[in-house]
Amino acid sequence: MNMPSSPPSLHTLKAVTRDDFPQTFAWGVATASFQIEGAARSDGRGPSIWDTFCAQPGNIADGSNGDVACNHYHLYQQDLDIMQRLGVEAYRFSMAWPRIQPDGVGAFNPKGLDFYERIIDGALARGIKPYATLFHWDLPQALQDGGGWNNRDVCQRFADYAHEVARRFGDRLSAIATHNEPWVMAFLGHEQGIFAPGIKSRKIAVQVAHHLLLSHGMALDAMRATGTRAQLGIVLNQSPIYPDTTAEADIDRARHDDGMIVRWYMDALLKGEYPADILDDLADAAPVVLPGDMAVIARPIDFIGINYYTRQLASAQGPYNPKERGLPVTDMDWEIYPLGITELLLRLHRDYKLPALYITENGAAFRDELVAGQVDDRDRVRYLQEHIAAVQLAIAQGVDVRGYFVWSLLDNFEWASGYAKRFGIVYVDYATQTRHPKRSAEWYRSFLVRG
Ligand code: FCB
């Protein structure tokens, strides 16, 4: 298995300050369009697959949707001001494709483009570098009606959209990521069906996984053609995956899961091939790959963004619940395992010739309560401190990590969990749309301004 040669122990995690990181390290916060913007029908935005998915009873835990969310579409100035006050230097946000191109094809919507122009210029005016993501899961519904990501033609639609964004904003964006977590989009959206578009077919999911990567490569070509100097890359969910026990079946399960989540993406992007053992495992569900596809997928990239939340233990018995095992968990019931970030980064560094890395998401949901205008989220402060220390440990061992983005600036619409799970360092009182920076926001500010 891909265990790091000498796993660091928890005792090696010392508290760090930002002086322990490279001078140019980017410190930021992250959000995504559908989760915060609201204004779902304003200014010409077309419907997205998440609007459709939310409208079907039973899909979202609290029956909610993205119609209002954090009303960031109207309150963005205030949210940028909060970032500036916290001393944040980089802002990772996503653009809603259906706001920019309502049907996913044809005419671009000037009002949608203007909104992102205001975000970009507003961030820059506050000394904050904008990092855009083109696709954080809100596909125009019109494209889904034509087969969505299972239809190869959507790759060209995506490249056209990417071209327009790079042409318009490529002079001001620090970075443009094509996709956010294509594994999640493909498999939670098309195999498990618990995310939009709610399809349940392994074969479709695998084909979608291929088309997402293909569209990434095509979008890179389209964006490079504009001459943009923005760094271009992709954001992946990644975890170290270990066998739960030494039983052979668990070891094989870990190989498979690691192959689907880590090697599928890293091998394709950095070596131009899919892992042979996984193609074997998939058998009839293996994707249709046309000649030339893998070369497009493996176009040189400037960075890979890593979203890290937890590790995974693979068991032939199926998924396990870390809480039942007495492991520390967040409100998502995800195990709190800071050293997983170090282990993952060291393993990737060992196995691949990597471009620059960013931690594009890391954070936690806890049961925050607003008491007299304050949220005392000590658990989140500790989570962030430990994970930042774990990133530093990897950098100290030679991994080229260039930035870290807290997920998330604001409490927001947490997909199938709705609004009940709060990931923000800023509390959102949804009844009034007031923002209350939590203790973790104040901690991040003191970390960033050096104290
Ligand atoms: C990631 C998503 C992000 C957020 C966090 C908690 O998978 O990219 O939008 O929901 O999980």
Side-chain angles (χ1 to χ4, degrees), residues 156 159-160 162-168 170-171 176 216-230 232 299-300 302:
Q156 187 56 51
D160 293 347
H163 182 270
E164 178 65 6
V165 170
R167 192 181 71 75
R168 283 284 300 245
D171 57 336
I176 307 176
H216 153 82
M218 290 168 64
L220 284 186
D221 287 350
M223 292 195 286
R224 298 253 189 243
T226 68
T228 176
R229 292 213 309 273
L232 305 182
R299 292 280 195 265
D302 303 315

Side-chain angles (χ1 to χ4, degrees), residues 32 35 136-137 180-181 184 307 309 334 361 407 414-415 423:
Q35 295 179 274
H136 202 125
W137 309 346
N180 176 74
E181 303 192 347
V184 171
N307 293 351
Y309 290 92
W334 296 346
E361 286 181 26
W407 183 271
E414 179 46 37
W415 308 113
F423 273 91

